[in-house]
Amino acid sequence: MIDYHALAPDLIMAGTVLVVLVVDIFTRHERKYLTALTAMAGIVVASFPLVTLGFSEVGARTMLDGSYVVDEFAIALKAFFLFVAFVTVLLSFSYIEGDRYYQGEFYFLLLSSILGAMLMASARDMVTMFVALELVSGPAFLMAGWRKGDARSSEAALKMFIIGVLSAAVFLFGMSLIYGATSSVLFADIAAVLSAADAAIRPAIILGVLFILVGFGFKVSAVPFHFWAPDTYEGAPTPVTAYLSVGSKAAGFIGLLTMLYQAFRPVADIWGPAIWIIAIASMTLGNLVALRQENIVRLLAYSSISHAGFMLVPFAMAFVYDDAGLDQAFSATITYLIIYGIMNLGAFGLVIAASRRVGSGNVSDWNGLGQYSPDLAILLTIFMFSLAGVPPFAGWFAKFEMFRSVANAFSGSDGAVWAAVLAGAAAINAVIAFFYYARLVVAAWFLPVKEGFVPRTVSVAPSLAFALSISAVAVMVIGVLPWLVSEVSQFSTLVAGG
Amino acid sequence: MEWFDSGWGLTLIVFIPTVAAAILLAIPRSEEGAAKMIALVASLISFFLSVVAIFQFDFGRADQMQLGTKLEWITSINANYAIGIDGISLPLMVLSTFVVVLAIIYSWDHWPEPHNPKAFLILILFLATGMAGTFVARDLVLFFIFFELVLLPMYFMIGVWGDKQQVTLPIVNRVVEMRLYASIKFFLFTLFGSAFMLLGFLALYFKSGDSQLGIRTFDIEVLSDIATRVDPGFLGSAAPWIFAALFLGFAVKVPMWPLHTWLPDAHTAAPTVGSVLLAAILLKLGTYGFVRISLPILPEQSMNWAPIIAVLAVISIIYGSLACLAQTDMKRLIAFSSVGHMGFVMLGISTMTTIGINAAVIGMVAHGIITGLLFFVAGSMSHRYHTREMSRLGGNLKLMPVMGGILGFTAMASLGLPGLAGFWGEFMALVGAFNPLDGLDLTLFRTAMVIGAIGTVLTAGYLLWMLQKVNLGEPKAEWASVELHDVERTELLAWVPLLVAIVALGVYPKIVLGATDPAVANIVENITRAVGS
């Protein structure tokens, strides 16, 4: 039986995707902004059934023999993705309109990608998940190459495409191994088989799990599968970069976590240590390279690699956690992901706005921003310190939950040393990260304007200003009242039952 | 005053400055008069309410948390908006609101460059919230937030309004402005410490869940209760690590040798008001953390670490004093003197006796008002002379008699002259070290006492040396043609209350000790019980 109430958000988004194309056909050139308005209207409408689903008493709604589940976890994440879509449309609006071509197609692609992310939140089998994952990535390749005339934009798209295809192949190979070993694609069934699997098929399981891990590693740009990200992020149009670093990355994370958590939970001893290494490598390498960046978008690209490391930290101790500990790790990562998404969107929005004003995306050109544009400089301060995890901005709670999860591992005696190293690495990295975020703040407030520099007299587009305001308000409110996010993440632990 | 006692009073004390800061954000930058007035009124209300708190406070129950409340905050981790004050936090909270008022009065017509009163006042007001908040927090997460909240305003204060002198960085050999170097150094040191402190808090949280109480909690009182009554061994083998993590967080803030290196740079580079607030309040957050969190929750580890802390404290005293003697910059000398004075506070804490911890609290208050005033005077002097080089100063008493007199008086208080505020902290810390808590190494502490006593002589030495160079003698020829005016109205308004406080505390230390003693006695009693059992 199909539960249309449960499917309504996804169906509305799918419908909106098509309506945007139709609107595009029937509007004249100078009225193409209607496509963006259609997209936003669709997003808003799609959020209504999410609200009613959130308040319904039915609980988890399972469809298609358990392949597709709409539970509180899925609802919360769908809401998050709709928020991301909304903000991304706002960020893109003035940027894409400035280019004056293919506006309708842009929003069509963006919404398709978001639809994939929404499916991802509900996918509970390997095939559905693969389809969702590719639906997220496919449109993203095209969006990355949006500025056709720009060689770097084309390079960005090409790099992302080749890596995307590679990771899809690796991912599929891993899935086929797991399917061979367990003869099921459903996560719940896989977990059941794995917990009772005999030693003979263990090599196949190990290989399968690791291949899937590598596939996701590319998607979330964790070290050592990260090298495409900085080039792609720098070359792609900045609103697209914002989306890649938040929306498509979050979708990858959700897929990874759901899979590890639901399907591969019995074999945490295989993937736990691998995640431990990836987490430390991502945090450290991302941070150290970010220290050397002159271009702000590249800096944020490396910072997003290091954030991927931080997000994996809670799962790195999976091999010592009991069930409650694993639940908590899951909710810590989701909390981190949501807060990171909001503040990173804000940060990229700020980069779009300030780069226009300054006329450059290099740190040293931003000197003295606070003197001629205090409002942008205040926003910069909020987002950078939030990314650095300084209270009272939202980022502190993300880091707090991450540390809480690691501290939990101290109670298990066998993992204490591993946990201590991990916690120490995370703590030191949190300090290093502050250093490069502070560089931007130092440039904006502490340093004088470069001699002979004249800022441009462009005002911030209203849509962009709106996006920046909602992100900034969200960052500050969540910083003071973090339960707004933590309650949502708590739902996600219910996924354990599935 | 039902509403006041039920937590509203403390909440208003903490958050009125934030509200004022938000109002300031909304008014245009050109409205300087209005900005100043709003900030002053807000800080006065906050101070007035903290005076009301003194009268509402029941000194008979000074060992218990009072005037507080506990509201649900982050339910998923059982962190609450739990506030309250006992005899130890009361004087420090009053000190913080008091100094903020004086800082704003002093700022009235002393704006450091680049002139921007609105932004500067907003930072002071945010600092006020963070400082008062740390002293009233009863929940570790809340404490952490307030503890960190002071970083950002101080970072901006140093970075924007700080010293523009060029310095050559060690190792990398790059030339940067002092303010840039000092601000980032200040932030990184503190952030490094507090990352580990947070890990320590989290470990306490999880361990409390495994204790006989069975509930994970961040509540400081509940954790102390577990540590001293319910289940003293609840931390198991993790205890030394947890203590070490907290130690790192607090010791950076105090600062204790060898983690002190941020302090001279930050104090010297900060604008006058920044130095005053740093010295008077921010350093106390670290020592307060030891008294409020480390001692009650980790009594046994505190015992184990006490000798190490005592040794580091004594090194801080001697090192701080010797470093002072090597300074040519007056402000830097005062900055280094803080290292020595905070060494006495830590020595008092390390004895783990009633008298030692009382000494620590009164030492904190005394250092707050004395060194705060010293930084005020040093700032005003460098404002007039445009130099802080002591070799160029001299004969200040002749050029500016009142200013010179205040400097001399405050220096006397700082060196611990009996009858003035500085005396009690040093004297009682040494007495405490003579007879530390049972079980601590007597020889070590008595040696520490002797070295500490030598430290008091060195302290007197460098302060008198400074007075001799700056205040006495004949004025240098270069000042003959310079117009130097003596203290101004706003300066007097800001300083006289501090002078009065120095005398009052010196003559009648019971102002502070009357409040702290029951609370300290309670802590020591709990420690004795926990260690004894």
Side-chain angles (χ1 to χ4, degrees):
Chain A
M1 194 194 89
I2 305 280
D3 182 344
Y4 284 103
H5 188 193
L7 285 178
D10 312 62
L11 290 176
I12 292 171
M13 281 304 275
T16 311
V17 167
L18 299 176
V19 173
V20 166
L21 271 188
V22 174
V23 170
D24 186 42
I25 295 169
F26 289 106
T27 46
R28 282 203 313 278
H29 193 73
E30 62 276 11
R31 303 187 56 174
K32 291 290 185 199
Y33 62 85
L34 284 175
T35 53
L37 291 182
T38 316
M40 291 201 312
I43 293 166
V44 172
V45 174
S47 63
F48 291 141
L50 272 182
V51 175
T52 57
L53 278 171
F55 284 103
S56 86
E57 300 285 324
V58 179
R61 296 156 187 262
T62 309
M63 278 156 279
L64 309 173
D65 301 328
S67 295
Y68 201 84
V69 175
V70 178
D71 49 12
E72 270 113 336
F73 166 73
I75 293 168
L77 285 172
K78 280 174 201 220
F80 170 67
F81 284 123
L82 285 180
F83 175 82
V84 172
F86 193 76
V87 175
T88 311
V89 171
L90 286 175
L91 293 183
S92 317
F93 190 69
S94 59
Y95 196 101
I96 298 297
E97 202 181 27
D99 286 351
R100 298 217 160 271
Y101 57 82
Y102 300 135
Q103 285 179 60
E105 285 83 347
F106 181 86
Y107 297 112
F108 162 74
L109 290 171
L110 177 64
L111 292 191
S112 307
S113 184
I114 285 289
L115 180 61
M118 289 173 69
L119 295 180
M120 186 71 112
S122 286
R124 296 290 182 274
D125 77 38
M126 292 199 291
V127 177
T128 314
M129 181 158 282
F130 181 75
V131 171
L133 197 61
E134 292 310 302
L135 186 54
V136 173
S137 308
F141 303 144
L142 294 172
M143 292 189 328
W146 203 248
R147 288 191 317 220
K148 288 189 295 188
D150 184 346
R152 284 189 312 165
S153 184
S154 310
E155 182 195 338
L158 193 64
K159 267 199 173 141
M160 196 187 164
F161 177 66
I162 291 172
I163 294 296
V165 171
L166 174 67
S167 81
V170 170
F171 189 72
L172 280 175
F173 184 52
M175 287 195 339
S176 64
L177 282 170
I178 294 295
Y179 180 69
T182 64
S183 46
S184 174
V185 291
L186 268 184
F187 293 162
D189 294 352
I190 292 173
V193 176
L194 286 185
S195 55
D198 60 78
I201 59 165
R202 192 163 162 89
I205 295 171
I206 293 177
L207 271 182
V209 170
L210 290 183
F211 270 116
I212 289 176
L213 212 55
V214 171
F216 276 118
F218 283 113
K219 294 285 180 205
V220 303
S221 65
V223 173
F225 317 109
H226 67 284
F227 41 83
W228 61 275
D231 291 340
T232 300
Y233 284 12
E234 190 187 355
T238 318
V240 176
T241 308
Y243 175 68
L244 290 179
S245 74
V246 174
S248 93
K249 190 176 189 123
F253 254 103
I254 307 283
L256 174 66
L257 296 187
T258 324
M259 208 148 175
L260 293 182
Y261 198 79
Q262 293 210 306
F264 299 147
R265 196 167 179 164
V267 289
D269 54 326
I270 297 175
W271 51 267
I275 299 254
W276 191 87
I277 295 168
I278 293 174
I280 291 189
S282 301
M283 287 189 291
T284 313
L285 194 89
N287 271 338
L288 292 181
V289 184
L291 282 176
R292 309 281 308 168
Q293 297 309 310
E294 188 51 29
N295 180 296
I296 292 169
V297 174
R298 271 189 99 79
L299 188 151
L300 286 178
Y302 281 104
S303 109
S304 107
I305 291 171
S306 102
H307 276 290
F310 281 118
M311 280 182 241
L312 287 173
V313 163
F315 265 72
M317 295 308 300
F319 50 103
V320 299
Y321 289 142
D322 53 4
D323 280 0
L326 212 51
D327 278 352
Q328 208 246 302
F330 194 86
S331 104
T333 304
I334 298 296
T335 302
Y336 201 119
L337 196 58
I338 291 174
I339 291 178
Y340 161 82
I342 295 170
M343 62 195 182
N344 215 40
L345 278 178
F348 272 106
L350 186 274
V351 170
I352 296 170
S355 297
R356 286 216 170 167
R357 189 96 167 82
V358 179
S360 156
N362 286 336
V363 179
S364 56
D365 293 329
W366 284 32
N367 287 359
L369 180 70
Q371 284 164 36
Y372 55 84
S373 239
D375 42 356
L376 287 179
I378 288 175
L379 287 170
L380 174 84
T381 312
I382 292 174
F383 292 127
M384 288 307 139
F385 280 140
S386 183
L387 283 168
V390 179
F393 306 120
W396 78 268
F397 190 66
K399 291 259 173 12
F400 179 90
E401 285 292 275
M402 186 260 310
F403 277 124
R404 181 160 79 100
S405 185
V406 184
N408 198 4
F410 281 116
S411 34
S413 52
D414 44 345
V417 176
W418 293 86
V421 174
L422 188 65
I428 290 167
N429 270 301
V431 177
I432 300 176
F434 172 78
F435 201 83
Y436 57 81
Y437 293 124
R439 255 183 78 202
L440 290 176
V441 175
V442 166
W445 291 109
F446 296 0
L447 297 175
V449 181
K450 276 186 175 175
E451 250 174 76
F453 173 82
V454 183
R456 299 194 198 165
T457 50
V458 281
S459 55
V460 179
S463 57
L464 190 53
F466 183 50
L468 284 172
S469 321
I470 48 178
S471 319
V473 168
V475 162
M476 286 192 284
V477 170
I478 294 172
V480 179
L481 302 172
W483 55 265
L484 289 170
V485 174
S486 69
E487 294 296 311
V488 170
S489 315
Q490 286 287 303
F491 290 145
S492 62
T493 60
L494 296 176
V495 124
Chain B
M1 295 270 270
E2 182 89 10
W3 64 274
F4 191 93
D5 299 353
S6 63
W8 274 106
L10 295 184
T11 304
L12 288 175
I13 290 171
V14 174
F15 288 108
I16 278 180
T18 313
V19 174
I23 297 172
L24 283 193
L25 267 178
I27 69 169
R29 190 173 155 175
S30 51
E31 299 278 335
E32 283 181 19
K36 288 195 273 191
M37 199 44 94
I38 292 170
L40 180 67
V41 169
S43 65
L44 276 173
I45 295 175
S46 184
F47 173 61
F48 171 74
L49 287 173
S50 60
V51 173
V52 174
I54 298 177
F55 288 104
Q56 294 297 108
F57 189 80
D58 180 356
F59 286 89
R61 299 188 301 121
D63 55 331
Q64 285 161 35
M65 286 290 177
Q66 299 177 31
L67 311 183
T69 184
K70 186 171 179 177
L71 302 171
E72 283 192 353
W73 180 35
I74 315 173
T75 43
S76 61
I77 55 172
N78 193 17
N80 299 300
Y81 175 71
I83 53 171
I85 46 173
D86 69 354
I88 295 174
S89 34
L90 176 68
L92 293 167
M93 184 192 75
V94 177
L95 175 72
S96 75
T97 54
F98 177 57
V99 174
V100 168
V101 173
L102 302 182
I104 291 176
I105 292 177
Y106 179 84
S107 301
W108 209 261
D109 42 21
H110 294 87
W111 300 105
E113 286 303 314
H115 189 82
N116 186 353
K118 175 184 156 187
F120 197 75
L121 287 169
I122 290 174
L123 296 183
I124 294 182
L125 290 168
F126 276 127
L127 267 175
T129 292
M131 296 185 303
T134 312
F135 293 130
V136 303
R138 292 191 326 194
D139 182 282
L140 289 177
V141 181
L142 197 63
F143 178 91
F144 172 77
I145 295 294
F146 283 126
F147 193 84
E148 296 286 285
L149 196 60
V150 300
L151 290 186
L152 280 188
M154 189 47 78
Y155 173 69
F156 280 106
M157 228 180 235
I158 299 174
V160 177
W161 287 271
D163 192 350
K164 295 190 175 49
Q165 203 181 322
Q166 304 272 335
V167 290
T168 312
L169 294 188
I171 305 166
V172 287
N173 235 353
R174 248 185 29 204
V175 178
V176 295
E177 287 180 33
M178 188 66 197
R179 61 193 173 105
L180 300 178
Y181 173 63
S183 57
I184 193 84
K185 192 172 175 185
F186 161 75
F187 208 116
L188 287 183
F189 265 72
T190 323
L191 198 67
F192 179 78
S194 49
F196 285 94
M197 183 182 85
L198 178 61
L199 276 174
F201 286 175
L202 287 167
L204 286 175
Y205 168 75
F206 284 109
K207 287 292 177 185
S208 66
D210 300 339
S211 74
Q212 283 171 21
L213 191 75
I215 302 166
R216 290 176 178 174
T217 178
F218 283 111
D219 191 303
I220 295 175
E221 287 158 286
V222 176
L223 285 169
S224 324
D225 208 41
I226 299 175
T228 54
R229 286 190 187 82
V230 181
D231 189 359
F234 79 114
L235 294 173
S237 59
W241 296 102
I242 297 175
F243 191 93
L246 299 188
F247 178 83
L248 214 52
F250 298 141
V252 167
K253 202 85 170 184
V254 172
M256 290 186 81
W257 184 91
L259 299 168
H260 68 280
T261 64
W262 63 269
L263 179 135
D265 292 325
H267 277 65
T268 313
T272 305
V273 168
S275 312
V276 170
L277 292 172
L278 254 177
I281 319 287
L282 293 204
L283 303 188
K284 276 75 200 176
L285 302 185
T287 39
Y288 177 73
F290 275 109
V291 178
R292 169 64 65 230
I293 296 169
S294 296
L295 291 187
I297 301 181
L298 296 132
E300 206 165 332
Q301 289 306 315
S302 305
M303 284 283 276
N304 296 344
W305 281 67
I308 301 174
I309 295 178
V311 169
L312 290 179
V314 168
I315 295 177
S316 297
I317 295 172
I318 298 295
Y319 174 88
S321 312
L322 292 179
C324 280
L325 286 170
Q327 300 308 314
T328 58
D329 180 323
M330 182 176 164
K331 206 172 169 191
R332 214 174 162 81
L333 184 148
I334 301 171
F336 267 111
S337 81
S338 288
V339 177
H341 284 121
M342 295 311 278
F344 278 106
V345 173
M346 288 311 297
L347 181 64
I349 293 174
S350 73
T351 66
M352 305 185 64
T353 53
T354 319
I355 190 164
I357 299 173
N358 272 322
V361 182
I362 195 170
M364 287 187 233
V365 176
H367 177 260
I369 53 182
I370 295 171
T371 311
L373 185 49
L374 277 179
F375 273 118
F376 268 137
V377 176
S380 279
M381 283 179 59
S382 69
H383 191 66
R384 291 174 174 67
Y385 288 109
H386 299 287
T387 180
R388 303 185 307 246
E389 282 301 317
M390 290 189 287
S391 55
R392 287 178 60 197
L393 303 172
N396 184 45
L397 213 45
K398 286 194 174 154
L399 292 169
M400 292 186 265
V402 181
M403 178 98 68
I406 294 175
L407 178 67
F409 178 84
T410 321
M412 290 299 156
S414 182
L415 64 79
L417 199 71
L420 298 178
F423 171 70
W424 297 106
E426 291 188 7
F427 174 71
M428 286 166 59
L430 294 177
V431 173
F434 181 75
N435 223 349
L437 192 67
D438 286 344
L440 291 174
D441 186 349
L442 210 55
T443 324
L444 184 132
F445 274 89
R446 291 201 174 156
T447 315
M449 184 197 79
V450 172
I451 303 176
I454 296 172
T456 60
V457 178
L458 287 174
T459 308
Y462 69 73
L463 283 164
L464 293 175
W465 177 70
M466 180 193 82
L467 282 184
Q468 190 198 352
K469 292 196 98 165
V470 174
N471 252 4
L472 306 179
E474 284 303 313
K476 297 269 185 307
E478 60 176 311
W479 308 117
S481 56
V482 181
E483 176 74 30
L484 295 166
H485 55 283
D486 212 334
V487 286
E488 299 158 4
R489 199 167 36 114
T490 48
E491 286 172 341
L492 274 183
L493 267 176
W495 298 350
V496 168
L498 287 172
L499 291 170
V500 172
I502 289 174
V503 176
L505 204 58
V507 178
Y508 195 64
K510 208 164 175 255
I511 303 170
V512 171
L513 296 179
T516 59
D517 195 48
V520 169
N522 182 40
I523 290 178
V524 172
E525 189 192 325
N526 281 336
I527 292 174
T528 325
R529 184 181 323 111
V531 176
S533 63

